[in-house]
Amino acid sequence: MTQAIEQDRVLIFDTTLRDGEQSPGATMTHEEKLEIAELLDDMGVDIIEAGFPIASEGDFRAVSEIARRSKQAVICGLARAQLPDIDRAWEAVQHAARPRIHTFIGTSPLHRAIPNLTMDEMADRIHDTVTHARNLCDNVQWSPMDATRTEWDYLCRVVEIAIKAGATTINIPDTVGYTAPVESADLIRRLIDTVPGADEVIFATHCHNDLGLATANSLAAVAGGARQIECTINGLGERAGNTALEEVVMALKVRADIMPWRTQVDSTKIMNISRRVASASGFAVQFNKAIVGKNAFAHESGIHQDGMLKNAETFEIMRPADVGLAASSLPLGKHSGRAALRAKLRDLGVELADNQLKDVFVRFKDLADRKKEVYDEDILALVHAGEDAANDALQLKSLSVTCGTGGPASATLVMEVEGTQKTATQTGDGPVDATFKAVRELHPNEAHLQLYQVHAVTEGTDAQATVSVRLEEDGNIATGQSADTDTVVASAKAYINALNRLIVRRGKTGQDRREISYRDVS
Ligand code: KIV
Ligand code: ZN
């Protein structure tokens, strides 16, 4: 079968669920695999390698179910060059609207030595297994594992055998990440020029990242004539991983001027699937990872932040929205300048006169020297520090709690509510829960608790705890913060502070919704 593909198109073959899952420790559950396959299919990935069906009962079940549920994507199952492997792969993928069997064998001298096959014996094995696969399925991919360390003449010979036996895609793996871009392009180009029948099949590239060259090698292979890139989300994979899907998709998009090959992948879905794969595999994405790292669209230094505020193109070659991110971030730290502080305050709804800004900036620099990252709450606390809380509608007067192993915790709270002192006692699942319930008894409200966070500011058992509470009510958000050596007291004050801010918000109708924060300074 001739594989027709427009020459300006590159197929994206995702192997997160097979090669990616092979990374030590990256095992995903059945449900996680189904969900990731659905996301891959939805984002326009052409081929999903869903697993290695003979490897385990679990892999078989996952590949079968992914095949059954597939929509557009071709669903592929991996098989060694053995008839039972191929039968099992077919059993699993046959349920897909568009099934593919992928069979492989190591062809380099080091890999031929393992099954102890001569070159001729291996050639026969390739012929027999590809023929068998092709009799089951009309879409067959064949890979000479460790192709980049296989003798040139032998590589040409086995690729020709696989094509004659019916393979429709020939994948050329750089299994140990050994090749370099110039060589990668040249290898594919020479194979296409040399091997009889090469123009009847699609050549694929499958690069590992041992030298950090996987994405560059994959794109070079495309320049050499490959029309399928094998990759994984976040570059997950054996050892240093594989070519990262997000990198090739964005490189082709951003540098279409020099790499004029299209993919049908919707890049705006990248961030979502990256996060999903990171949480399912347990492999957190490194902060400085291209495209999907936390810092990929973050700018801290004064010069960069100033440039970004004037024109984002000064320091960004793609828009955050192109990968599904809402916006770039300008985290404030010790390298940040006044322009970024002013912009951040504006975002938070605070407009300061120049002399006030100067004053807050001095205090901000002092804080940034002591703290790695300065959060919105910190900035607002700097602005509001020293503000008089005497006019707040809700004022904590006293709190006592009982908790321990014996039963539910209880809290007795005395609070002034608009000038009237009131008392409530509540039980709860722990002292904080009991305290919050007591606050709600004295000041009934529908505010939804969005965040409750405790930080130890100092060390030791007498550590000062800073508690942040974020509440949401009818689209209004308010944050309260408080510090105390007693975590429960700090929690109560932070909660009451946030409620006080909401009360102020309720009174201010018709204004922009914005976050108001208050820090207890007592
Ligand atoms: O890296 C490799 O060679 C592979 C093959 C199974 C294609 O993953
Ligand atoms: Zn691999």
Side-chain angles (χ1 to χ4, degrees):
M1 186 181 91
T2 304
Q3 287 276 286
I5 176 172
E6 307 110 89
Q7 277 310 294
D8 69 339
R9 243 285 264 136
V10 180
L11 302 176
I12 298 294
F13 175 110
D14 182 277
T15 182
T16 306
L17 298 174
R18 197 280 297 169
D19 210 324
E21 214 221 2
Q22 271 172 233
S23 325
T27 307
M28 299 176 219
T29 67
H30 184 74
E31 282 66 35
E32 286 165 342
K33 288 182 189 174
L34 299 189
E35 192 192 330
I36 288 164
E38 192 179 346
L39 293 174
L40 290 167
D41 207 342
D42 283 349
M43 81 192 287
V45 161
D46 300 277
I47 305 117
I48 299 171
E49 187 161 56
F52 195 169
I54 203 148
S56 73
E57 198 47 45
D59 250 41
F60 177 80
R61 272 199 316 120
V63 179
S64 310
E65 195 55 34
I66 289 168
R68 277 197 189 87
R69 295 184 184 197
S70 59
K71 296 172 205 145
Q72 296 300 321
V74 170
I75 304 299
C76 175
L78 185 67
R80 289 168 300 186
Q82 291 173 14
L83 304 189
D85 274 46
I86 294 170
D87 290 341
R88 193 75 171 145
W90 173 241
E91 232 186 294
V93 296
Q94 63 179 327
H95 309 289
R98 304 170 70 201
R100 173 181 291 189
I101 297 173
H102 175 195
T103 179
F104 75 100
I105 193 162
T107 51
S108 66
L110 285 165
H111 285 271
R112 287 199 304 269
I114 292 172
N116 198 17
L117 294 177
T118 65
M119 283 180 161
D120 288 346
E121 285 165 345
M122 182 165 285
D124 288 345
R125 172 83 71 89
I126 292 164
H127 171 268
D128 294 348
T129 49
V130 174
T131 304
H132 183 70
R134 187 55 204 271
N135 286 337
L136 296 169
C137 180
D138 67 2
N139 189 335
V140 173
Q141 171 166 327
W142 180 73
S143 299
M145 187 167 73
D146 207 13
T148 52
R149 293 191 300 169
T150 299
E151 303 91 328
W152 166 249
D153 288 344
Y154 191 58
L155 184 62
C156 289
R157 179 179 166 196
V158 289
V159 167
E160 185 179 348
I161 289 171
I163 294 174
K164 287 209 172 109
T168 46
T169 297
I170 299 292
N171 175 36
I172 302 299
D174 182 30
T175 304
V176 289
Y178 179 71
T179 201
V182 177
E183 201 177 56
S184 177
D186 191 53
L187 181 62
I188 301 284
R189 193 175 295 121
R190 285 200 297 144
L191 282 168
I192 293 173
D193 287 348
T194 312
V195 177
D199 54 343
E200 301 281 296
V201 299
I202 288 177
F203 274 78
T205 175
H206 175 113
C207 298
H208 281 267
N209 204 30
D210 299 65
L211 291 174
L213 293 173
T215 298
N217 286 335
S218 298
L219 294 168
V222 174
R227 286 296 175 268
Q228 175 178 301
I229 297 178
E230 307 211 354
C231 48
T232 59
I233 303 293
N234 299 342
L236 205 62
E238 298 265 18
R239 306 181 309 281
N242 290 65
T243 299
L245 178 145
E246 60 276 9
E247 291 174 9
V248 287
V249 167
M250 291 315 292
L252 290 172
K253 194 174 171 123
V254 173
R255 294 310 310 271
D257 55 334
I258 54 160
M259 295 186 283
W261 305 290
R262 296 176 292 117
T263 83
Q264 64 172 22
V265 171
D266 178 355
S267 68
T268 64
K269 306 219 161 136
I270 282 176
M271 202 52 79
N272 181 37
I273 192 163
S274 161
R275 289 180 179 153
R276 194 63 201 96
V277 168
S279 83
S281 64
F283 277 46
V285 175
Q286 79 202 46
F287 282 11
N288 59 337
K289 175 95 178 142
I291 321 291
V292 290
K294 179 174 178 271
N295 287 356
F297 292 89
H299 311 265
E300 192 201 290
S301 83
I303 294 170
H304 288 222
Q305 291 185 335
D306 193 43
M308 283 294 296
L309 290 165
K310 290 177 174 136
N311 178 355
E313 284 180 35
T314 51
F315 290 103
E316 280 181 354
I317 56 167
M318 55 200 136
R319 290 170 308 174
D322 292 340
V323 301
L325 250 191
S328 310
S329 65
L330 304 181
L332 293 180
K334 67 175 180 180
H335 303 111
S336 305
R338 201 172 305 194
L341 179 64
R342 186 192 289 279
K344 169 62 79 183
L345 286 167
R346 261 192 204 131
D347 269 3
L348 296 169
V350 180
E351 200 66 58
L352 295 182
D354 283 351
N355 60 333
Q356 287 174 302
L357 180 71
K358 211 166 141 191
D359 185 44
V360 172
F361 187 66
V362 171
R363 281 186 279 136
F364 157 72
K365 279 285 180 180
D366 177 52
L367 180 67
D369 260 338
R370 290 180 279 120
K371 218 166 173 262
K372 252 198 171 81
E373 205 174 324
V374 181
Y375 299 100
D376 292 3
E377 283 81 4
D378 298 315
I379 306 282
L380 286 162
L382 287 177
V383 172
H384 293 296
E387 265 183 7
D388 187 7
N391 296 328
D392 283 345
L394 311 176
Q395 312 239 359
L396 175 70
K397 291 294 167 195
S398 71
L399 172 68
S400 62
V401 295
T402 320
C403 59
T405 51
S410 86
T412 300
L413 174 83
V414 181
M415 188 164 79
E416 203 171 281
V417 182
E418 284 165 355
T420 311
Q421 197 152 304
K422 298 183 175 178
T423 304
T425 299
Q426 282 283 347
T427 56
D429 191 4
V432 174
D433 186 45
T435 303
F436 283 19
K437 279 184 179 161
V439 173
R440 279 197 295 276
E441 184 186 323
L442 298 182
H443 174 67
N445 66 85
E446 296 295 313
H448 168 66
L449 182 66
Q450 280 194 332
L451 173 97
Y452 169 73
Q453 210 167 50
V454 182
H455 296 285
V457 182
T458 52
E459 285 173 9
T461 51
D462 61 347
Q464 173 96 334
T466 296
V467 176
S468 300
V469 166
R470 192 182 320 140
L471 300 176
E472 187 272 337
E473 185 190 63
D474 296 333
N476 287 319
I477 293 174
T479 308
Q481 203 176 60
S482 179
D484 199 289
T485 47
D486 185 321
T487 310
V488 185
V489 172
S491 302
K493 287 180 178 173
Y495 186 41
I496 292 168
N497 288 337
L499 286 170
N500 277 322
R501 297 314 105 201
L502 274 182
I503 292 167
V504 173
R505 290 298 300 143
R506 275 185 224 133
K508 291 186 180 177
T509 50
Q511 288 186 6
D512 289 347
R513 284 174 181 173
R514 61 181 173 88
E515 187 166 338
I516 300 183
S517 180
Y518 172 82
R519 182 185 204 157
D520 178 85
V521 288
S522 58

